[in-house]
Amino acid sequence: MTLQSSLDPALAPLPSVPWQVTGNHWLSLPCIHPHDGAIHAVGLLHRGARSAVEFAGAAGFVQGEGPALARPVIRVDGAPVELARAGIAWERALHWLPTFTSIAGDLVVRGTVFAPFGQDADIAGAVYTLAFENRGKRPVQLEVGLEGTLGHRQLRVRTPRPAEDAHRIREAAGGVVILDGVAVPGIAALALAADGDARVALTEAATPSYAITRTLTLGAGERTEQAFYIAAGPERDGAEATVGVMRRRGWRALLTITRDALRLLEQSTGMDSLDALINRNLCFAYFYGVGRALDDAQYYLVRSRAPWCAWGVTVRDWEALAWTVPAVQLADAPLARELILRACELHGYAPGRGVHYLDGTLFEPGFTLEGCASYAVATERYIRETGDDQIVEEPILADTLYATSDDLAARRDEQHPLYHTEVTLDRRPAAQPFTLHGNAVVAYALDALSRTLDEEAAADIQNAAAVRAALRRHFSVGSEAKATLAAATDLGGKHDLDDDPVGSALWLPMWEGIERSDSLYRRTAKRLPETDRLVMKIARLFGPEAGETLEWLRVAPLYQGLAAESVDEQGAALGYGGDAALSGLLAYAVWYTVHAYGLRP
């Protein structure tokens, strides 16, 4: 079978290294090397810069080039232990915490990298823990530490912009190492420290380096645990204060809180393999599609914080509210509520007008019906799944829903209850102004608006049933017995049959535009070709081949188990990876079809 391709993977290549990934809402650790456990980059969000801020050992960090930012270093009786040579086996605790085991002679090394998460652990930082067991018959002198190089700092909206000032590493009181730039004022700094007394050594250069080392004696049969902290702040004093808080609270308490909080996010279908698919992608969407900015501590929805995601930390209403928020809602309804209101605050002034910077500034104009309707859609789904209808009393949401209603009304055809758009969800100019998927979503939104606006305004809302009837009437092509649905029309007899991969006809049952069992829908689904787009494969969960699709997704390798826009026939990622919003859609769609339709592989 040959897949139709609508993306060029070469334009957004995957990393050559199969990175381990973790993080929290403050700090992302997207590049943990599987060979030696080295951290090659730390990422943050900065509202003032409208971008991600990333610290790395070298400019080529995404491809694993150059030295690491923070690498675990182990010496036994003065001899270095190379984890890569000894062999290192990775697991993911709770689908999100990278853990490894390595055996070097008589020494067993176990490591865990985590970013604290949960009540009383919501910190802009990360912890690297190393546990050692001496299985030998004599004591050994053990040196353990973190070493690294600050060789690159960058701002990134979609493409990286290197910092123009010099890199700086300095030692603060208590064995704390500060990483930042020399420019004043700076926008971010990192602080690193051991959990206890340690030796600090610095090397000054254009790419300065550091080493934090602890020395101890490990007797025969004994075990020990060591930890190192990485903290972030908007400037060096804040980073130093944060690492002090982490030291005071202690890594064991932070890890316990984090594990307990991650357990609360987990979803269950009764099938371990599906649970792994759902929870892995849910966690990625939860922590990489949502972030807190270092300079104002507010939440922001972004396409992805992964530095190899082609769409960067820009955001569009539809992906934020219809892909990321539903996944977050599965695990954390209070946060989903806050994100809906936050999206209204930042982007609701112009629903559906295009792509935005994370702070709401317009990045790329291009009106979509789906984006305009997404605020009403997200509100309706939130109320249905949580029962919290008081959200509509929030003034910012009410203002956004009224703006949505007005903007949709301005897009209605004068004669027919259908609505026109400018671009498709696949970012292409609409071949015909009236799109099938866009109008199905509008009908769903009109239902929601009729229940959430005040009585006078609701009376002027177009009847959603009339829109759905118009879909069958104006988008059906072919003889009655063999009719299928076109992707778009001009309402004057012209139809476009080329399905939008993102706004596919396959999604219509999700938006209650048509029943899954309807023969018109089933014929349309069977007509659509297989493509390399994962989003369209996910949409087939609603079609006649749902069971086969679920099995395909269950075993698809993707990219380290995470969604990528372009995949091959077996589901291996080809390009456009690191897409946190798409991971949210994958997690939610699998969960939804299993629970709502009783779907099984």
Side-chain angles (χ1 to χ4, degrees), residues 165-455:
D165 60 322
H167 310 306
R168 177 174 59 188
I169 298 180
R170 71 176 185 86
E171 182 179 0
V176 176
V177 173
I178 305 294
L179 282 62
D180 64 357
V182 300
V184 178
I187 59 173
L190 299 180
L192 296 87
D195 185 41
D197 295 333
R199 300 192 313 274
V200 173
L202 305 182
T203 301
E204 295 186 8
T207 54
S209 59
Y210 68 91
I212 305 172
T213 309
R214 302 201 73 199
T215 302
L216 60 144
T217 299
L218 188 62
E222 290 185 350
R223 302 181 181 185
T224 187
E225 294 174 309
Q226 303 296 316
F228 298 87
Y229 302 105
I230 303 172
E235 45 74 48
R236 63 190 189 187
D237 290 345
E240 184 179 353
T242 302
V243 86
V245 171
M246 297 177 73
R247 275 176 150 179
R248 184 171 69 249
R249 294 184 180 178
W251 69 268
R252 291 179 179 84
L254 293 173
L255 181 56
T256 298
I257 294 170
T258 300
R259 286 179 174 274
D260 290 345
L262 288 174
R263 287 191 185 95
L264 295 177
L265 301 183
E266 286 188 316
Q267 304 300 304
S268 176
T269 63
M271 292 172 281
D272 290 344
S273 55
L274 281 184
D275 290 349
L277 173 68
I278 292 170
N279 289 305
R280 175 78 172 136
N281 281 276
L282 188 153
C283 284
F284 190 60
Y286 187 89
F287 291 112
Y288 275 60
V290 180
R292 298 183 73 172
L294 199 60
D295 53 331
D296 71 356
Q298 297 296 315
Y299 284 105
Y300 292 90
L301 284 153
V302 297
R303 186 64 181 256
S304 182
R305 298 164 68 193
W308 56 90
C309 177
W311 314 117
V313 293
T314 59
V315 63
R316 193 167 58 167
D317 320 58
W318 181 252
E319 286 83 5
L321 291 167
W323 292 12
T324 301
V325 167
V328 172
Q329 195 167 289
L330 288 178
D332 189 345
L335 178 58
R337 187 184 201 274
E338 185 169 350
L339 292 175
I340 292 170
L341 298 177
R342 188 76 176 132
C344 293
E345 179 183 344
L346 294 172
H347 313 294
Y349 68 92
R353 295 298 171 87
V355 181
H356 292 93
Y357 291 94
L358 61 86
D359 71 340
T361 303
L362 188 61
F363 175 86
E364 179 185 0
F367 179 85
T368 62
L369 282 174
E370 292 92 341
C372 185
S374 62
Y375 297 88
V377 168
T379 302
E380 176 70 8
R381 295 167 91 178
Y382 173 80
I383 293 172
R384 288 188 186 186
E385 295 179 15
T386 67
D388 175 20
D389 60 0
Q390 294 303 303
I391 190 173
V392 299
E393 302 300 326
E394 296 286 346
I396 189 62
L397 177 58
D399 290 346
T400 303
L401 293 181
Y402 280 104
T404 295
S405 177
D406 292 343
D407 286 358
L408 287 177
R411 295 273 171 171
R412 186 189 183 279
D413 182 70
E414 293 181 358
Q415 296 181 341
H416 306 285
L418 291 171
Y419 300 75
H420 60 88
T421 192
E422 178 189 353
V423 297
T424 68
L425 286 181
D426 202 31
R427 304 175 186 84
R428 303 172 189 272
Q432 303 295 341
F434 299 88
T435 59
L436 176 67
H437 182 268
N439 277 276
V441 172
V442 166
Y444 189 96
L446 293 174
D447 261 339
L449 292 170
S450 68
R451 289 189 288 270
T452 53
L453 301 186
D454 65 68
E455 187 174 348

Side-chain angles (χ1 to χ4, degrees), residues 473-504:
R473 187 165 59 252
H474 292 282
F475 288 86
S476 294
V477 292
S479 62
E480 184 175 348
K482 297 182 179 180
T484 61
L485 291 166
T489 180
D490 68 348
L491 300 182
K494 293 182 180 179
H495 293 87
D496 181 55
L497 296 180
D498 291 336
D499 197 42
D500 175 13
V502 183
S504 172

Side-chain angles (χ1 to χ4, degrees), residues 17-18 20 32-38 82-88 90 102:
V17 178
Q20 295 289 333
I32 303 170
H33 207 294
H35 292 164
D36 60 2
E82 297 184 17
L83 295 177
R85 180 175 298 178
I88 187 167
W90 288 90
S102 182

Side-chain angles (χ1 to χ4, degrees), residues 50-86:
R50 300 191 184 105
S51 66
V53 180
E54 288 153 343
F55 290 71
F61 68 91
V62 170
Q63 300 301 335
E65 299 169 359
L69 182 69
R71 179 172 62 91
V73 175
I74 303 164
R75 299 181 183 87
V76 176
D77 294 330
V81 174
E82 297 184 17
L83 295 177
R85 180 175 298 178

